[in-house]
Amino acid sequence: MKFSVITITSAILLSSNNNGGVNAFSVAPKTKKYGLHVLAMPTAISTNNDSARDADINNTLSKVLRPKTEKTADTKISDTTRIGNTVVPSIGIGTISWSSDSLTRLENLELQSLVNTACRENAAFFDTAERYGSRLKTALGLGWGETEMLTNKLIERASSISAQESSSSSSSSSSPLVATKFTPQSMEDDTRSSSSSSSSSSSSSPDEVSGPLVATKFTPSPWRTTPESVVEACRLSCERLGVDKIDLYQLHMPDVVKPLRVFGFAQESLDEVYWEGLAMCYQQGLVSNVGVSNYGPTLVTQCKQFLNARGVPLASNQIAYSLLGRGNGAQETVDKCNELGVKVLAAFPFAMGILTGKYNSDNLDHDSSTMAEDTITSLTKSQKTNMELRDLNQYAKGGQGSDIPSGGVAPLILEMESIAKRRNKTVAQVALNYCICKGTIPIPGARTQAQLSDNLGAMGWRLTSYEVLSLEEKANMLGFEFEGAGFKRTSEKFVGYGVEKWTLD
């Protein structure tokens, strides 16, 4: 029997049983931050067919997956910003690592708990892509649209649960936020890190998030050679997401996939073809906003001018950006986008976990109060490959025959811990808040409710300009930048026949 532990203060542990159903176990409240749960006798939940299974799961989740902690003054996220014409939370939720627990059904109870919390707290901004699927399927070039469909199903269930709660109790919508070290505080006393970020990162906007929001991406491919191919892909994404209009539709990367170049054949860039396709999607009402990904200052300026000529605003540009990843044109790109009014979505805000401190947990004298709830335990259930883990440990500790100095990222982590301790935050929350202070929307990946809850604790406050400068000073002194790990790189992508690269110039 497989157990999927849902990290909540006091609720029920759900697992699949041998009959394809679901078992519910009562659990005692956690005794410590990393405490064990005590299981009671299981209670079977009948799941004879898909509709019955969904009804049973919805009923169970609506009863047990509501966090139970002390209420704060403000129980919903109000730290928001804008992407084009849409109000979004200041932190998004990356779905690249999402997958189903079942080989035959789109189902993952741990992710369902995460989505329920995100929707309940007005923090439901999910970033996905048509190309996302399970790790194995994606590696084989399969699984297109799988994560879009899974996201749709999880949001539908969360909406159903919310409706049940609203009808059963008028006060149920005021369920408290569960966020490790989340202490809402006024941001008026904190100074922004720059003039550009002060206008773009304020959370005092009277606007509220209207409901679950989803951004997805179109993948430039050799067989997609017309604007109509973008429109067709957009319509398919709408179907998989179960919407008439996508909140944000992005190009996944510049047109760099050119397999014939390996044989010496020149292939014309299709970037403008894809821009025309984005404009058509917007003009046909298929999308609310359009964006790009991995565009540097030059390309993002050209794209904006192209779309402006067609009456279509460029809303966003998603790039790899973090405290440890500001080089190689990343900071220049953020500055140019802030100047152009194009919102930057920051991928890799944790530098694949390095900036949470978990890869330094065994060689630094950590204050455990500054670590996210499942930072240490997540190492034992990591989905990262051995190659990725090897590279990440080199970033963290240096030496080991690498170009990274001995000690690795440790000096920066210690500075982050110092700030986190003073503010009663976690290291991970400091990493995310830094990105917000620079005028970006960080998109950290999250697979558990505990991870989401800690991420939400990065909202509602801001680092001071002095803290931002001290962090950047420590990062600059390291002498290296985060460029990815294993086959996951910040400026290149494995595309089957080889690796294609791009630059932010």
Side-chain angles (χ1 to χ4, degrees):
M1 181 179 293
K2 181 180 179 182
F3 295 96
S4 178
V5 177
I6 301 172
T7 310
I8 48 185
T9 304
S10 177
I12 286 181
L13 179 67
L14 300 176
S15 70
S16 58
N17 60 33
N18 295 330
N19 298 320
V22 177
N23 288 334
F25 298 82
S26 63
V27 294
K30 290 181 291 185
T31 57
K32 296 174 61 178
K33 176 172 284 191
Y34 307 112
L36 298 176
H37 294 84
V38 181
L39 302 183
M41 294 300 292
T43 303
I45 301 174
S46 173
T47 54
N48 297 323
N49 53 55
D50 287 344
S51 59
R53 182 191 310 110
D54 284 355
D56 284 334
I57 291 175
N58 284 350
N59 183 55
T60 301
L61 290 174
S62 66
K63 293 178 180 177
V64 305
L65 293 184
R66 185 183 304 149
K68 298 179 181 178
T69 62
E70 293 183 11
K71 292 187 178 182
T72 60
D74 183 4
T75 61
K76 289 182 178 292
I77 296 299
S78 60
D79 192 342
T80 62
T81 185
R82 282 185 174 271
I83 298 178
N85 59 24
T86 304
V87 178
V88 301
S90 292
I91 294 176
I93 302 170
T95 66
I96 191 171
S97 63
W98 287 15
S99 61
S100 175
D101 284 340
S102 171
L103 294 176
T104 59
R105 298 185 304 272
L106 293 173
E107 194 167 283
N108 187 314
L109 294 176
E110 193 165 44
L111 289 177
Q112 186 66 67
S113 175
L114 181 157
V115 173
N116 292 351
T117 298
C119 291
R120 183 170 49 248
E121 305 304 337
N122 284 350
F125 173 38
F126 305 100
D127 179 69
T128 188
E130 63 173 2
R131 191 67 187 85
Y132 292 173
S134 68
R135 179 182 292 269
L136 177 60
K137 289 181 180 179
T138 299
L140 296 175
L142 305 173
W144 283 57
E146 185 177 274
T147 303
E148 288 180 326
M149 291 187 288
L150 177 60
T151 301
N152 175 27
K153 185 164 187 176
L154 295 173
I155 292 175
E156 282 186 345
R157 278 184 174 169
S159 299
S160 175
I161 291 170
S162 178
Q164 291 177 23
E165 291 178 342
S166 297
S167 62
S168 63
S169 173
S170 59
S171 63
S172 60
S173 60
S174 298
S175 53
L177 170 67
V178 172
T180 305
K181 294 191 167 297
F182 179 72
T183 52
Q185 61 190 68
S186 171
M187 295 183 293
E188 295 177 358
D189 296 332
D190 287 347
T191 305
R192 299 297 187 270
S193 61
S194 67
S195 59
S196 63
S197 65
S198 64
S199 61
S200 59
S201 64
S202 173
S203 71
S204 58
S205 169
D207 297 319
E208 293 185 356
V209 179
S210 60
L213 303 167
V214 179
T216 192
K217 307 181 194 74
F218 167 91
T219 303
S221 306
W223 61 87
R224 290 172 159 173
T225 59
T226 65
E228 289 75 18
S229 65
V230 181
V231 176
E232 179 185 1
C234 183
R235 291 187 185 279
L236 290 174
S237 286
C238 283
E239 291 179 10
R240 290 189 291 261
L241 291 168
V243 298
D244 296 323
K245 179 182 286 190
I246 295 171
D247 300 302
L248 174 64
Y249 195 54
Q250 310 157 89
L251 299 182
H252 209 146
M253 57 187 172
D255 181 35
V256 297
V257 182
K258 302 292 184 183
L260 295 183
R261 281 192 301 212
V262 176
F263 304 101
F265 293 97
Q267 290 185 274
E268 183 180 356
S269 171
L270 297 175
D271 284 324
E272 291 195 3
V273 171
Y274 296 143
W275 299 345
E276 188 69 55
L278 285 181
M280 291 172 62
C281 291
Y282 184 88
Q283 292 161 349
Q284 294 180 26
L286 295 173
V287 301
S288 296
N289 301 279
V290 298
V292 293
S293 304
N294 301 305
Y295 277 31
T298 300
L299 204 53
V300 78
T301 300
Q302 293 173 352
C303 180
K304 182 175 175 63
Q305 292 173 346
F306 183 96
L307 292 174
N308 280 349
R310 288 152 180 78
V312 178
L314 177 63
S316 67
N317 180 23
Q318 184 167 165
I319 65 170
Y321 183 80
S322 70
L323 178 57
L324 196 59
R326 295 172 291 121
N328 301 320
Q331 187 59 58
E332 291 81 359
T333 300
V334 170
D335 294 341
K336 173 56 71 172
C337 287
N338 285 338
E339 174 189 326
L340 296 173
V342 175
K343 198 68 178 178
V344 170
L345 276 61
F348 295 102
F350 291 142
M352 292 180 68
I354 295 172
L355 294 178
T356 67
K358 67 181 179 181
Y359 292 101
N360 294 89
S361 60
D362 61 346
N363 68 325
L364 289 179
D365 184 17
H366 279 290
D367 180 348
S368 62
S369 67
T370 66
M371 302 296 284
E373 182 170 347
D374 67 346
T375 294
I376 305 301
T377 55
S378 66
L379 285 170
T380 64
K381 54 183 180 181
S382 173
Q383 293 186 342
K384 292 181 174 62
T385 66
N386 289 334
M387 186 181 298
E388 290 168 357
L389 291 173
R390 181 201 64 193
D391 291 347
L392 292 172
N393 277 300
Q394 286 182 344
Y395 280 118
K397 302 167 186 176
Q400 306 176 46
S402 70
D403 296 330
I404 298 173
S406 179
V409 77
L412 176 59
I413 297 298
L414 288 174
E415 180 67 16
M416 296 173 73
E417 284 189 343
S418 175
I419 293 173
K421 188 173 182 179
R422 288 198 304 269
R423 286 183 165 273
N424 194 31
K425 298 293 177 182
T426 66
V427 171
Q429 289 167 358
V430 171
L432 293 180
N433 198 271
Y434 171 83
C435 292
I436 298 174
C437 287
K438 301 300 285 189
T440 75
I441 301 176
I443 310 290
R447 291 186 291 113
T448 69
Q449 182 175 310
Q451 290 172 345
L452 172 66
S453 295
D454 192 73
N455 293 347
L456 298 187
M459 292 193 278
W461 58 282
R462 293 293 185 270
L463 295 164
T464 65
S465 57
Y466 175 80
E467 289 171 326
V468 168
L469 289 174
S470 69
L471 289 170
E472 290 179 342
E473 182 179 285
K474 290 293 184 181
N476 293 340
M477 291 173 62
L478 295 177
F480 62 89
E481 291 273 334
F482 176 74
E483 298 180 353
F487 286 110
K488 291 182 179 177
R489 317 304 296 184
T490 59
S491 59
E492 63 185 52
K493 192 172 292 291
F494 180 72
V495 290
Y497 60 85
V499 173
E500 292 286 9
K501 301 180 180 181
W502 58 82
T503 57
L504 298 178
D505 54 16

